[in-house]
Amino acid sequence: TPFGFAHYFLAFWNNITKLTVANLLFLLTNIPLVCFAIAFPLFTSVNMPADSIYPIYYGVSQYGGSPLVSAFLTLNSAVRPTSVHNTTTIVLFCIGALAIFTFGPSCAGLTAVCRNAARGDCNFVWSTYFDAVKRNWKQAMLFGIIDVALVFLLIYDIIAYNANAAGSTLYLFLYVFSIFLAFVYFVMRFYIYLQMITFDLKLKQILKNSLYFVTLNFKRNVVGVLASALLLVIEYYMFASGVFVSVSLILPMIILVSLLTYTSAFCAWPAVKKHVADAYYNDHPDEDPDRSVDDDDPVFTDRG
């Protein structure tokens, strides 16, 4: 089938160079996000008390204390390494905050290249990328700010609720519910930028359509989520293993970001075409990239 399992790998292989170039363009137009990512390995590592009660015993010991307090101080004196900010990381994080303005437009450009790769369209990376950025930068920038805020909020909620889930049924429910919301929003992102660069729709309509697509294209959505999760798990374990750290650092700069976007576009486009594109292009035939040449218009003219 045009969007089957075998075609996924065939289209990827045929466009691997273009996807690599698009990945590099995404990073170049998203320098603040790169600075944000670079900051994490540069944290200063310091030893901190492993037990939160240690500072209390230490404070008491400094103002009189007793043999009992000294004993408890010794028992709770274990330390563990902790990462803390330094001047470099603070500067990089401040620069990284500008990513809220660059993230959306760069996602639009990358999605355009990956959509064309999935559809098998003619794909001139440079012009495709920057044309999509130029045509959609206002809407993409607005949604990019919303996108960054929602992703941050969902990740924060999952971590916070997980930390308290063991002792509270309410927090356990909120933890599970946050994971569900994260899944729904992750799938919606398959369609948001894809519709944004393809159709002239208002953001409210794009979000509404994307929510519908969560269930309309459920099987392919699950496949897309599982494939994306597999790629991210492989990346994580290569980094955590200590053996393939250099490879794990290079992959996001070379292909990983565009591969994730290509995967989502490949899974999402058939549903977008069926439920939105066909109807849209019936009303806007001049915008249809697959529209055949009118039979009444000759391809060649005999100038005799």
Side-chain angles (χ1 to χ4, degrees), residues 65-139:
S66 68
L68 181 61
V69 171
S70 298
F72 279 117
L73 185 64
T74 302
L75 290 173
N76 294 276
S77 61
V79 296
R80 61 182 176 187
T82 302
S83 297
V84 297
H85 284 289
N86 53 52
T87 303
T88 302
T89 59
I90 292 174
V91 171
L92 289 173
F93 274 129
C94 289
I95 297 174
L98 297 175
I100 62 173
F101 302 110
T102 62
F103 184 70
S106 59
C107 282
L110 181 62
T111 302
V113 175
C114 293
R115 178 204 59 186
N116 288 0
R119 296 195 310 188
D121 293 347
C122 185
N123 208 357
F124 299 101
V125 179
W126 186 273
S127 59
T128 299
Y129 187 98
F130 286 104
D131 282 350
V133 172
K134 182 179 179 180
R135 285 187 287 104
N136 301 280
W137 72 270
K138 289 183 179 179
Q139 194 175 53

Side-chain angles (χ1 to χ4, degrees), residues 196-257:
M196 187 183 297
I197 63 165
T198 308
F199 314 111
D200 184 15
L201 299 173
K202 294 182 178 180
L203 184 57
K204 181 179 179 180
Q205 191 172 0
I206 290 174
L207 294 173
K208 183 179 179 180
N209 290 345
S210 300
L211 184 59
Y212 288 151
F213 278 126
V214 174
T215 54
L216 281 175
N217 196 31
F218 187 74
K219 290 183 179 179
R220 292 183 71 93
N221 291 339
V222 172
V223 172
V225 171
L226 292 177
S228 300
L230 178 61
L231 291 171
L232 293 174
V233 167
I234 292 173
E235 167 70 13
Y236 171 77
Y237 277 104
M238 283 196 300
F239 180 80
S241 68
V243 179
F244 300 102
V245 174
S246 58
V247 177
S248 68
L249 295 176
I250 292 173
L251 280 178
M253 295 186 289
I254 300 299
I255 194 66
L256 181 61
V257 180

Side-chain angles (χ1 to χ4, degrees), residues 17-176:
T17 302
K18 295 175 180 179
L19 293 177
T20 300
V21 174
N23 199 110
L24 294 173
L25 285 177
F26 177 83
L27 297 180
L28 288 174
T29 54
N30 224 351
I31 292 297
L33 187 63
V34 176
C35 292
F36 187 84
I38 291 174
F40 286 95
L42 301 180
F43 273 84
T44 300
S45 181
V46 297
N47 290 325
M48 297 289 289
D51 196 325
S52 59
I53 202 172
Y54 176 84
I56 298 175
Y57 289 129
Y58 179 79
V60 174
S61 69
Q62 296 301 303
Y63 296 93
S66 68
L68 181 61
V69 171
S70 298
F72 279 117
L73 185 64
T74 302
L75 290 173
N76 294 276
S77 61
V79 296
R80 61 182 176 187
T82 302
S83 297
V84 297
H85 284 289
N86 53 52
T87 303
T88 302
T89 59
I90 292 174
V91 171
L92 289 173
F93 274 129
C94 289
I95 297 174
L98 297 175
I100 62 173
F101 302 110
T102 62
F103 184 70
S106 59
C107 282
L110 181 62
T111 302
V113 175
C114 293
R115 178 204 59 186
N116 288 0
R119 296 195 310 188
D121 293 347
C122 185
N123 208 357
F124 299 101
V125 179
W126 186 273
S127 59
T128 299
Y129 187 98
F130 286 104
D131 282 350
V133 172
K134 182 179 179 180
R135 285 187 287 104
N136 301 280
W137 72 270
K138 289 183 179 179
Q139 194 175 53
M141 183 182 295
L142 173 61
F143 177 71
I145 296 172
I146 299 172
D147 194 14
V148 171
L150 286 177
V151 170
F152 175 81
L153 182 62
L154 286 169
I155 292 175
Y156 177 84
D157 285 346
I158 289 173
I159 294 174
Y161 292 141
N162 181 49
N164 297 280
S168 171
T169 304
L170 175 61
Y171 281 116
L172 178 61
F173 168 78
L174 291 174
Y175 170 63
V176 175

